Amino acid sequence: MENSKIDYTAEGKFTRVYDLFDSYSKLHRKRMRKKYMTVFRSFVDFVKFHSTELGYNSSDEFELQLHLNEHISIQFKEYLLKSKLKDKTCYTKLNVLNTILKYAVNSGSVSNKSFIYAVINYSDDGKGRILPYSDFEYEKINEFLLLERIFINRLLKNIPTYIKRNVGVCPVEEKAKFGKKARGFGSIENCIYYFENTLNCIPLGSTQENKKLHPTFLNSISNMHGGLDQFYRRLGVTHLVDEKIVGVLLMEFAILTGLNPCSLYSLKIDCLQDKNQLTGSPAIQFEKLRSKGSGTLYLNQKDDNLAVSDLKQKEYASIKRIFNDVIKLTSTFRGKARPNERDLLFIYESSGPSTYSEVRGFDDKKFWALTSYFVKKHKLLNEKGDKIKLNLVRFRTTHLNKLFIEGRDICEIQTRANHSSIQQTVNYKHRHNIEPKLIDDDTKLLTNIYKFNVELKSNNYDPNSKNEVYESVYCNCKNIYDPPDEVKKLKVYKEGQPCTWFNMCFFCKNLIITKLHLPRIFAYYYQITNSQAFLKGELPNNHLYRRIVSIIESIMEPSQSGFDKEVIDDALSKAKVVYSDQIDQNVYVPSKL
């Protein structure tokens, strides 16, 4: 749909639009500027194509204040969706235009405008860049990181000293003494002897100089013993602390912190603070390259919930351990780094033939090459048998998703994500598809509720089909002696006694809900959500309350619960009457005096 004859330059009819895109693009890196100007050209095509609808005369200058109407984002979205562009491209271009419109308002380029920002629902670009990793994928990733960690831990133990094994004999002397009968460098033990006594435990790389000094040793290792890297890994040493070693620690750090890739690459060796001046708690200082500023990631903040507090302490301990490991591994070659990279936390010795042993920092290109190596080495496949795409951005969405599932306060997640507002965190949650999902058991429970109500409406339900039905607070129960697993796991639960944990009824397979129960159920929903807002999400066992909220929200949908819309609407209005019936003290919110 793009027309190559259209004048995209500042000398055309779109000077002010061009200046707007150009001024905003200059706030970003060169690669990002190109993307913004590409969207500018698409926007010009869109205006030309819909000039009549926009009230624009192609012979006139395009005026921002006059021609940018409140629905321009929606119209641009429809234009993109009708084109033959890929979903990812449409998603990106619309987001860029929305960003430009916000910039136009904030910079004063347009006034008295309230744009409606359209959204393209898009969850995955085919490269695994947006969706959080599934539990299966996350487990596979952690498995390969643990395997790589075995060698790294051995390597850390050998710094600064290597403990000799004292095996084998000198292969050169053995060859001279026994001739053809000698094992020489064909014996792995003799190679270890040569490394410990001739090389003095100093790992050598396959440089031209080393090949001249130790040709037989290096050739034998490469041809007979699995290669130099494999040989050194057996000994717990390495000739280079390369990207394969430091990259593992980088991924571990990304999983635990959820930092953006650019922020990770630019972390400094003094980024970790044991005691932040403002909060008194540990924190990480990092750069925000998009906004050309800095940010602070607060760790191990005190929490009234002991379970959450313990989780935060373990999280911080793991982060600090990785940080110390990186400092120790890179200390031997940090002095060789270029001045502008010497203070970077994540640096490595290059193993490339043209840049051998040069000290460098990470970037997207190097990381993508590294992930391809790990995926191939460990045969990382997802449930469908496709290769798992290792991506630092996806580590970030997985990290934030984990915080949502744990029931962390939205304000804490906003701080961890370093978003400027809670609304940005909520938008991120929706955009990256990290809403908490109903687990399988809850889905089955809703299916049973739906079937029961359909049978009841069609008069196919036989009230004599069950021996007994017990009345509970929020529902009826088919068997009070068979509680859900969540109750059976409690230490105070005794088998054979009737269940009295009424707030666990929503997880029980014996649950029966009729329209008479709905007002109180919906009132309970309001009590939980209000309490979560009042206590900033830190309810006891908040992950269970989040599940209850998800279940009740599904009950509010006629298509999922089987209740008529009129019945649900009536129950919602009645819920306000019974709201004051406070039964669950965990969700109590004090009244304002």
Side-chain angles (χ1 to χ4, degrees):
M1 296 177 69
E2 294 195 0
N3 185 355
S4 60
K5 294 181 180 180
I6 294 176
D7 186 359
Y8 295 117
T9 65
E11 289 76 23
K13 301 296 182 181
F14 297 89
T15 306
R16 289 176 175 79
V17 181
Y18 177 90
D19 290 342
L20 185 65
F21 274 83
D22 185 56
S23 60
Y24 186 78
S25 68
K26 287 178 180 177
L27 300 175
H28 300 78
R29 291 169 291 165
K30 188 175 181 180
R31 180 171 61 86
M32 294 295 291
R33 290 181 206 165
K34 185 177 179 181
K35 181 175 78 171
Y36 282 108
M37 300 317 293
T38 300
V39 178
F40 162 71
R41 292 193 290 271
S42 296
F43 181 75
V44 172
D45 289 336
F46 154 71
V47 172
K48 290 280 188 178
F49 195 79
H50 292 281
S51 57
T52 305
E53 298 172 30
L54 298 173
Y56 167 68
N57 189 333
S58 57
S59 62
D60 298 334
E61 176 75 22
F62 188 91
E63 297 288 347
L64 299 178
Q65 186 68 33
L66 179 63
H67 297 115
L68 285 180
N69 64 63
E70 286 80 357
H71 302 92
I72 195 77
S73 176
I74 297 174
Q75 292 167 317
F76 188 60
K77 170 188 173 180
E78 293 173 353
Y79 168 80
L80 292 173
L81 293 178
K82 289 178 182 177
S83 68
K84 296 181 180 179
L85 297 174
K86 294 181 179 179
D87 290 346
K88 171 64 177 175
T89 305
C90 295
Y91 171 85
T92 302
K93 289 192 174 187
L94 181 63
N95 281 345
V96 169
L97 179 67
N98 288 341
T99 302
I100 293 295
L101 293 175
K102 292 173 185 177
Y103 174 70
V105 173
N106 295 332
S107 64
S109 299
V110 295
S111 58
N112 301 320
K113 290 279 186 180
S114 180
F115 294 110
I116 300 173
Y117 301 107
V119 175
I120 291 179
N121 293 322
Y122 178 71
S123 59
D124 196 352
D125 63 350
K127 297 181 180 179
R129 288 188 172 186
I130 297 178
L131 288 175
Y133 287 110
S134 66
D135 292 340
F136 182 88
E137 291 173 323
Y138 193 66
E139 184 179 347
K140 288 290 182 182
I141 291 170
N142 280 307
E143 283 178 2
F144 106 76
L145 289 175
L146 285 172
L147 289 173
E148 292 292 330
R149 252 293 182 176
I150 295 172
F151 168 67
I152 294 175
N153 290 339
R154 291 177 62 194
L155 190 62
L156 288 163
K157 288 181 181 179
N158 289 331
I159 296 177
T161 57
Y162 166 80
I163 300 175
K164 289 187 176 182
R165 300 189 179 189
N166 296 317
V167 296
V169 297
C170 178
V172 178
E173 294 178 359
E174 186 188 44
K175 186 73 174 177
K177 185 175 181 180
F178 296 102
K180 293 182 179 181
K181 294 182 180 181
R183 295 181 300 168
F185 285 101
S187 165
I188 189 68
E189 290 81 8
N190 289 354
C191 290
I192 294 173
Y193 179 94
Y194 190 89
F195 168 75
E196 293 178 347
N197 297 279
T198 305
L199 301 182
N200 296 319
C201 304
I202 300 174
L204 299 180
S206 296
T207 62
Q208 293 299 323
E209 183 180 356
N210 290 335
K211 287 179 179 179
K212 291 178 182 178
L213 294 173
H214 309 280
T216 311
F217 170 75
L218 293 174
N219 287 333
S220 299
I221 293 296
S222 298
N223 298 327
M224 303 169 67
H225 302 298
L228 208 56
D229 282 342
Q230 189 64 31
F231 174 75
Y232 286 143
R233 278 178 176 264
R234 290 176 183 173
L235 303 181
V237 298
T238 182
H239 61 299
L240 291 173
V241 181
D242 61 10
E243 60 273 22
K244 300 181 186 72
I245 295 171
V246 183
V248 170
L249 301 177
L250 174 65
M251 283 185 273
E252 288 183 342
F253 207 81
I255 289 172
L256 288 173
T257 63
L259 288 173
N260 275 315
C262 292
S263 298
L264 286 165
Y265 302 150
S266 60
L267 286 175
K268 300 293 193 292
I269 54 176
D270 59 353
C271 66
L272 186 62
Q273 303 171 340
D274 288 326
K275 193 173 183 181
N276 183 264
Q277 292 180 351
L278 293 176
T279 63
S281 62
I284 295 175
Q285 292 288 338
F286 62 92
E287 293 182 8
K288 298 176 69 176
L289 297 188
R290 287 185 181 179
S291 57
K292 296 186 178 179
S294 60
T296 304
L297 178 64
Y298 297 103
L299 308 167
N300 194 25
Q301 292 174 289
K302 293 182 180 179
D303 200 291
D304 294 334
N305 188 324
L306 295 178
V308 175
S309 181
D310 182 58
L311 189 65
K312 291 179 179 179
Q313 290 176 13
K314 291 179 180 178
E315 189 177 66
Y316 170 64
S318 298
I319 290 172
K320 188 169 184 179
R321 177 175 64 86
I322 297 168
F323 176 84
N324 291 334
D325 289 348
V326 174
I327 294 295
K328 186 174 181 179
L329 283 170
T330 58
S331 61
T332 56
F333 59 85
R334 189 169 289 278
K336 298 190 301 179
R338 290 173 288 190
N340 63 325
E341 294 182 337
R342 193 167 295 160
D343 292 333
L344 293 178
L345 177 62
F346 293 104
I347 56 175
Y348 63 92
E349 293 177 292
S350 175
S351 59
S354 60
T355 58
Y356 184 83
S357 80
E358 287 184 14
V359 180
R360 300 199 162 192
F362 281 90
D363 56 26
D364 286 335
K365 184 178 180 181
K366 173 53 65 177
F367 185 79
W368 275 109
L370 176 65
T371 56
S372 298
Y373 163 80
F374 282 128
V375 169
K376 183 177 180 181
K377 176 183 176 182
H378 293 279
K379 298 178 181 178
L380 298 178
L381 304 176
N382 60 22
E383 302 95 316
K384 298 178 181 179
D386 299 327
K387 291 181 180 179
I388 296 175
K389 304 293 183 181
L390 298 176
N391 188 297
L392 292 178
V393 175
R394 207 170 172 198
F395 285 149
R396 176 174 170 81
T397 55
T398 304
H399 173 76
L400 296 179
N401 186 49
K402 185 169 173 283
L403 297 181
F404 276 113
I405 291 173
E406 288 173 0
R408 301 282 189 98
D409 171 26
I410 188 70
C411 295
E412 180 193 346
I413 298 174
Q414 175 203 348
T415 303
R416 291 297 293 268
N418 219 263
H419 290 155
S420 58
S421 66
I422 289 180
Q423 187 59 46
Q424 186 181 356
T425 306
V426 173
N427 291 343
Y428 186 95
K429 177 181 175 184
H430 289 291
R431 186 168 66 250
H432 293 280
N433 198 23
I434 55 179
E435 290 278 10
K437 300 291 189 297
L438 287 173
I439 63 174
D440 291 341
D441 290 343
D442 297 344
T443 305
K444 292 176 183 177
L445 182 144
L446 285 166
T447 302
N448 291 335
I449 293 174
Y450 180 85
K451 288 180 179 179
F452 176 81
N453 284 291
V454 170
E455 289 178 1
L456 203 61
K457 284 191 292 185
S458 60
N459 297 321
N460 290 331
Y461 175 68
D462 181 7
N464 299 317
S465 59
K466 302 294 179 183
N467 294 329
E468 291 180 281
V469 174
Y470 302 88
E471 291 187 5
S472 182
V473 178
Y474 298 116
C475 60
N476 288 341
C477 180
K478 291 183 284 188
N479 187 353
I480 60 174
Y481 298 98
D482 183 22
D485 291 338
E486 286 76 7
V487 172
K488 292 178 181 178
K489 291 176 183 177
L490 297 174
K491 292 182 180 179
V492 294
Y493 169 72
K494 293 183 180 179
E495 190 173 356
Q497 290 187 350
C499 175
T500 57
W501 284 273
F502 59 87
N503 55 354
M504 295 290 190
C505 290
F506 294 95
F507 311 135
C508 185
K509 62 185 178 182
N510 298 304
L511 172 75
I512 295 178
I513 293 177
T514 67
K515 64 180 181 180
L516 299 177
H517 299 112
L518 293 182
R520 177 159 282 176
I521 289 175
F522 294 163
Y524 188 41
Y525 169 83
Y526 291 137
Q527 290 168 356
I528 295 173
T529 53
N530 287 343
S531 181
Q532 287 174 326
F534 181 78
L535 299 174
K536 297 181 179 179
E538 297 301 344
L539 282 170
N541 299 310
N542 195 42
H543 65 290
L544 294 177
Y545 282 107
R546 284 172 58 80
R547 279 181 62 192
I548 293 174
V549 166
S550 295
I551 291 170
I552 297 177
E553 285 177 346
S554 297
I555 292 174
M556 291 176 179
E557 292 291 332
S559 61
Q560 296 191 55
S561 62
F563 292 107
D564 294 332
K565 186 178 184 302
E566 293 76 14
V567 171
I568 292 174
D569 290 341
D570 181 60
L572 286 169
S573 62
K574 290 179 179 178
K576 298 175 182 179
V577 178
V578 298
Y579 178 81
S580 58
D581 296 348
Q582 196 80 37
I583 298 170
D584 187 349
Q585 296 304 311
N586 285 336
V587 297
Y588 172 71
V589 177
S591 302
K592 293 182 180 179
L593 298 177

